[in-house]
Amino acid sequence: QVQLVESGGGLVQGGGSLRLSCAASGRTFRNYNLGWFRQGLGKEREFVAAISWNGYNTEYADPVKGRFTISRDNAKNTVYLQMNSLKPEDTAVYYCAAESIMTMSPGRQPDSYDYWGQGTQVTVSS
């Protein structure tokens, strides 16, 4: 069982940066692939980025490649999402999620994730 709590969201001007954090409970944090998803108002939840259990592999959605960086610190049971060059279209609630599988290819589909945080709002003004 893993409990996830996101933090770091807020209001930022276009072109600015934010770093989201997701703290996890549980001793088996290192056994999970981790992902970030987002859901804009009236939109479906979409994949943003994911990282394998050992941190060796990462995946990014095309709209955020080159701007966002996912990382994890297994000693601190925390996964991060560094977001640079933010755009108004990045406005959404951001969720972190844990996938109960130790593979080198973290999933991109919400259905493959078993545990979710409550979300943190990111608003980018133009």
Side-chain angles (χ1 to χ4, degrees), residues 14-94:
S17 299
L18 280 175
R19 187 174 84 154
L20 305 183
S21 300
C22 176
S25 64
R27 293 177 294 175
T28 58
F29 175 80
R30 64 181 67 250
N31 293 348
Y32 295 86
N33 291 340
L34 299 168
W36 285 97
F37 292 78
R38 66 187 182 186
Q39 189 165 15
L41 195 62
K43 298 181 180 179
E44 292 189 355
R45 191 167 298 190
E46 64 175 0
F47 171 75
V48 175
I51 189 166
S52 60
W53 62 276
N54 55 7
Y56 287 176
N57 284 354
T58 56
E59 298 277 344
Y60 294 95
D62 286 344
V64 308
K65 272 182 186 174
R67 300 188 297 123
F68 291 10
T69 303
I70 188 172
S71 61
R72 65 189 294 165
D73 185 338
N74 285 347
K76 295 183 178 180
N77 281 12
T78 302
V79 61
Y80 304 97
L81 185 68
Q82 177 67 44
M83 306 186 294
N84 298 328
S85 302
L86 283 161
K87 304 175 181 180
E89 51 263 45
D90 295 318
T91 295
V93 177
Y94 283 71

Side-chain angles (χ1 to χ4, degrees), residues 103-121:
T103 70
M104 295 302 290
S105 299
R108 288 172 169 258
Q109 299 301 320
D111 288 349
S112 67
Y113 287 79
D114 305 289
Y115 304 101
W116 292 83
Q118 83 289 348
T120 186
Q121 176 71 46

